[in-house]
Amino acid sequence: MNTILKNKLGGLEGEIKDFSEKLNQFKLQQGNMSQLESMITSEMEKLGFDEVKTDEVGNVIGIIKGYKSVDDIVLLSNIDLPVAEHNNDSTPDKNASIMFDNDKSGILTSLFTGALFKRSLALLTGNLIVACITRSESCGFGVKYLFNQQLKKEKIKGVILCEPTDFKIYTGNKGQLEYEIVVHESNHKNNSPKYEQILDSKKNDLLNSLNAVSDRLPMDNELGKPSLVVKNVCYKNSPYDKGDREIHIKVDRTFTPAENETVILQNAQRLTKNIFNDDAIEDTHIDENKITTSTGKTLQETKDYKPWKMEGYHPFVVNSLEVLHENNFDTSVGYWKNRITEGSFTNGELKIPTIGFGAGKQENTQGVSLNDLLKSIYGKSLIIYRQIGVPTFGWDDGEI
């Protein structure tokens, strides 16, 4: 069957080039997400997917059906929304085209991996579910809606992320938590210059303390060092007492499985209490965004993404490595150190076995060559067939 997959992939090369050109010509911008979703839906239908649909948050889902639904594999790629489509007070995202360029490789390889199974007539024990998910943040509303609504009754054996891994099997990434520290000094008598100086001095002390925490964060051997970055500091009028002011400090924090979100927030609040007066009102909360999807649905998105790390001896990982090695892929286990992926939800929260495999370095997937796209499709197909394929004895010498 491996030889059949490789031969059929050669027959898809022209269609891969054509759809790649369509994606390259498409300019993603505010208001035209539905056009892209329609383009992907049409391509899935043209390639012969057994079932194609778009859900109410804009996820495009295509299914290649197996002979029973017990061992489904989900193949995930991403469509990043331009900022102004999901944040009412933001300006148009100048980086939208760059983000879309990074998405194209995953979209292409996921669709044509499904097409390859359809063309090869490979028999699968479960369904292959190809989902192009819309998102405003990595591991955002799209993947959560997909698994909580569309796939909640499916028996899923594993998830493959179409993310850049340089043809390695990636099995984890750090978590991310964006939170805000709010300090309200409630008992000062007036906004005197002296008070303002004291408040400003305390703010600087807190920022220095946060920087010190950043320097002390523990290293994870696989996922790398977590980080703490102050994104924004501003003063606002207090909603409690007219004339009072508040300090708002937004923090972007990555963390490893050895750490805990609740403890991170508690430590931030403790630092704040140690610096400001006892009568100050402190609040530390996780940021939320109000999201308007490409279909017009309004959602609240909490900016809290869990760390995850699959065990190297897990059968889903071992079988994937074995089939790639057997077919001359020079591969090993690795981890995303600079990306948050949908694995933060599929494995970090749902505990579904999850791996990543794809062309390109993790820092950038733009400009992936046709040969690397073909190699990525073939590698994904090998992994899927090893996981849920039915052996076809006699079709291929290597399988007799």
Side-chain angles (χ1 to χ4, degrees), residues 154-197:
E154 303 297 324
K155 296 178 180 178
I156 299 171
K157 182 174 184 178
V159 173
I160 301 173
L161 308 177
C162 297
E163 295 275 3
T165 68
D166 199 20
F167 299 114
K168 294 180 173 60
I169 297 291
Y170 276 14
T171 60
N173 57 251
K174 292 190 283 285
Q176 186 178 26
L177 184 67
E178 292 194 13
Y179 63 88
E180 184 176 58
I181 301 170
V182 180
V183 180
H184 169 222
E185 287 277 2
S186 60
N187 290 334
H188 71 280
K189 295 181 179 180
N190 55 62
N191 289 333
S192 66
K194 184 177 180 182
Y195 168 75
E196 294 288 344
Q197 291 173 7

Side-chain angles (χ1 to χ4, degrees), residues 71-323:
D71 290 325
D72 294 351
I73 295 290
V74 181
L75 194 57
L76 289 182
S77 59
N78 309 310
I79 306 172
D80 287 286
L81 293 172
V83 168
E85 290 220 354
H86 62 79
N87 189 338
N88 293 331
D89 61 0
S90 64
T91 57
D93 185 6
K94 296 179 181 179
N95 293 319
S97 62
I98 296 175
M99 294 168 67
F100 181 48
D101 284 343
N102 287 333
D103 294 336
K104 290 174 185 175
S105 174
I107 295 170
L108 272 166
T109 57
S110 64
L111 264 63
F112 283 92
T113 297
L116 181 56
F117 277 99
K118 195 66 180 176
R119 298 286 175 88
S120 67
L121 302 178
L123 189 59
L124 304 176
T125 58
N127 296 331
L128 172 59
I129 301 169
V130 176
C132 300
I133 55 172
T134 54
R135 63 184 191 178
S136 60
E137 301 277 352
S138 296
C139 198
F141 68 88
V143 68
K144 293 174 183 177
Y145 195 88
L146 176 70
F147 281 87
N148 289 336
Q149 300 296 326
Q150 298 295 328
L151 304 183
K152 63 182 178 181
K153 295 181 180 179
E154 303 297 324
K155 296 178 180 178
I156 299 171
K157 182 174 184 178
V159 173
I160 301 173
L161 308 177
C162 297
E163 295 275 3
T165 68
D166 199 20
F167 299 114
K168 294 180 173 60
I169 297 291
Y170 276 14
T171 60
N173 57 251
K174 292 190 283 285
Q176 186 178 26
L177 184 67
E178 292 194 13
Y179 63 88
E180 184 176 58
I181 301 170
V182 180
V183 180
H184 169 222
E185 287 277 2
S186 60
N187 290 334
H188 71 280
K189 295 181 179 180
N190 55 62
N191 289 333
S192 66
K194 184 177 180 182
Y195 168 75
E196 294 288 344
Q197 291 173 7
I198 293 172
L199 195 60
D200 199 50
S201 176
K202 290 181 177 180
K203 176 205 70 177
N204 291 334
D205 288 343
L206 179 55
L207 294 178
N208 290 334
S209 295
L210 290 170
N211 287 332
V213 168
S214 179
D215 293 337
R216 297 194 303 268
L217 293 175
M219 173 70 75
D220 184 285
N221 290 334
E222 285 86 19
L223 303 183
K225 195 176 190 301
S227 63
L228 186 157
V229 178
V230 175
K231 293 181 65 178
N232 187 41
V233 181
C234 66
Y235 289 95
K236 296 183 180 180
N237 292 328
S238 170
Y240 299 103
D241 296 300
K242 189 174 182 179
D244 286 2
R245 300 181 73 191
E246 292 180 343
I247 301 173
H248 289 245
I249 301 174
K250 288 195 174 185
V251 177
D252 184 356
R253 175 75 150 83
T254 64
F255 61 105
T256 65
E259 301 178 278
N260 179 278
E261 299 102 311
T262 301
V263 174
I264 289 171
L265 293 177
Q266 289 174 343
N267 287 339
Q269 198 161 43
R270 176 181 53 79
L271 279 176
T272 307
K273 286 183 178 294
N274 287 343
I275 291 169
F276 286 85
N277 296 332
D278 292 336
D279 58 1
I281 299 172
E282 295 96 2
D283 173 42
T284 306
H285 59 265
I286 300 172
D287 271 1
E288 287 189 349
N289 277 342
K290 186 177 181 181
I291 307 299
T292 301
T293 71
S294 60
T295 59
K297 189 176 181 65
T298 301
L299 303 169
Q300 286 292 124
E301 187 164 78
T302 302
K303 306 184 84 169
D304 177 12
Y305 316 114
K306 293 187 180 298
W308 64 287
K309 189 160 59 174
M310 283 275 291
E311 303 89 349
Y313 54 82
H314 191 286
F316 199 74
V317 178
V318 172
N319 289 336
S320 299
L321 286 170
E322 283 181 350
V323 72

Side-chain angles (χ1 to χ4, degrees), residues 12 15 42-49 64 111-112 114-115 118-119:
L12 282 169
E15 291 167 271
S42 297
E43 191 68 19
M44 284 182 170
E45 292 171 346
K46 177 184 171 184
L47 292 171
F49 278 69
I64 304 295
L111 264 63
F112 283 92
K118 195 66 180 176
R119 298 286 175 88

Side-chain angles (χ1 to χ4, degrees), residues 322-351:
E322 283 181 350
V323 72
L324 291 177
H325 285 149
E326 290 166 9
N327 288 274
N328 302 315
F329 279 79
D330 181 15
T331 192
S332 59
V333 170
Y335 305 87
W336 290 284
K337 296 186 178 181
N338 304 310
R339 281 180 180 240
I340 305 299
T341 72
E342 273 59 41
S344 295
F345 183 70
T346 60
N347 185 263
E349 292 195 31
L350 300 183
K351 307 306 178 186

